[in-house]
């Protein structure tokens, strides 16, 4: 009986009828199909029953871009691969650059052409990095909250304008924007209120001739907002 099972196993796993002919890959945006197949260790012509689905998935999720993956057989000659990639929210500057998602989790070192015009976060160190599902330190939580709010329509910052977030343990966050005002000192906490106020100030300044040349806005204290005019050194 044992010999029979061995014979049947060898027959099935070497039968050309079960060789992989079609591979369907979905969900990938940053990685090509060829990169995914190479990472999974799956190729056309391979016997479908000889594909180790668990090993292929483990190989896939070990890649920096891949958050999760599923691999399944589609008998008699197909394989399906579903990819869930990380979504980068910012470039974290720790000497080398790292890609960070919207929850503050660093998922890979920056590669060539991967910055994708992301805002740069500086002032953090390795102790601030998120290990679990939530940011580990108040400073990282501040960065994560600000990134989330900056995508909202009610704020005065569009994703294209936000260039840099400078984090400081004493003074909180300072934003660098494209255009003017170029510098926003936003401090800690009450970010929704402060960004909403920034939106109102920007709208008012756009309609007021004397306020169009604002270089910086200090929103640390919302009851005492400080506007910094453009100086000759910063004018272009």
């Amino acid at each position: 009986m044992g010999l029979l099972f061995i014979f049947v196993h060898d027959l099935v796993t070497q039968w050309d009828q079960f060789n992989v002919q079609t591979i369907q890959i979905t969900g990938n945006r940053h990685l090509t199909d060829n990169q995914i197949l190479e990472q999974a260790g799956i190729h056309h012509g391979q016997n479908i029953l000889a594909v180790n689905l668990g090993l292929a998935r483990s190989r896939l999720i070990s890649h920096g871009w891949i958050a999760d993956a599923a691999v399944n057989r589609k008998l008699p000659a197909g394989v399906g691969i579903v990819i869930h990639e990380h979504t980068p929210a910012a470039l974290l500057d720790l000497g080398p650059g790292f890609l960070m998602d919207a929850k503050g989790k660093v998922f890979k070192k920056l590669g060539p052409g991967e910055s994708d015009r992301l805002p740069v976060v500086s002032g953090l160190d390795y102790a601030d990095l998120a290990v679990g599902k939530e940011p580990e330190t108040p400073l990282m939580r501040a960065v994560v909250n600000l990134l989330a709010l900056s995508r909202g329509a009610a704020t005065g910052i569009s994703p294209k304008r936000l260039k840099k977030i400078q984090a400081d343990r004493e003074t909180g966050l300072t934003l660098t924007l494209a255009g003017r005002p170029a510098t926003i000192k936003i401090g800690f906490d009450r970010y929704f209120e402060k960004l909403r106020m920034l939106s109102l100030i920007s709208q008012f300044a756009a309609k007021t001739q004397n306020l169009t040349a604002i270089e910086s806005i200090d929103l640390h204290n919302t009851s005492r907002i400080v506007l910094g005019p453009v100086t000759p050194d910063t004018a272009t």
Side-chain angles (χ1 to χ4, degrees), residues 16-182:
D16 291 344
Q17 186 68 23
F18 290 105
N19 286 353
V20 175
Q21 298 178 19
T22 61
I23 302 176
Q24 183 180 20
I25 301 174
T26 59
N28 54 315
R29 302 186 310 277
H30 296 90
L31 299 177
T32 66
D33 288 357
N34 287 336
Q35 287 175 314
I36 290 171
L37 292 178
E38 182 179 355
Q39 184 70 22
I42 298 174
H43 56 82
H44 288 86
Q46 183 179 6
N47 187 282
I48 191 173
L49 300 178
V51 175
N52 187 324
L53 302 182
L55 177 60
R57 178 181 180 275
S58 296
R59 288 172 57 97
L60 286 170
I61 62 178
S62 68
H63 193 285
W65 270 114
I66 300 177
D68 199 3
V71 184
N72 57 78
R73 297 186 182 92
K74 296 183 177 182
L75 295 173
V79 173
I81 301 176
V82 180
I83 300 296
H84 297 281
E85 292 184 351
H86 291 283
T87 301
L91 170 60
L92 181 59
D93 184 4
L94 290 174
F98 294 91
L99 294 177
M100 183 179 79
D101 67 16
K103 295 183 179 179
K105 180 179 179 181
V106 172
F107 57 89
K108 75 180 298 292
K109 190 175 181 178
L110 181 67
E114 290 182 344
S115 63
D116 198 27
R117 299 182 181 179
L118 296 170
V120 177
V121 178
S122 61
L124 298 175
D125 57 38
Y126 289 97
D128 294 303
L129 302 188
V131 177
K133 295 183 178 180
E134 299 295 331
E136 295 297 305
T137 65
L139 197 59
M140 176 60 89
R141 285 195 290 271
V143 170
V144 169
N145 291 339
L146 191 283
L147 283 172
L149 288 173
S150 68
R151 291 173 170 78
T155 67
I157 304 175
S158 67
K160 293 182 179 180
R161 285 198 66 199
L162 183 57
K163 298 300 181 182
K164 184 176 181 180
I165 301 175
Q166 175 68 42
D168 185 276
R169 299 184 196 284
E170 300 297 327
T171 60
L173 306 184
T174 298
L175 314 183
T176 301
L177 308 181
R180 291 197 172 96

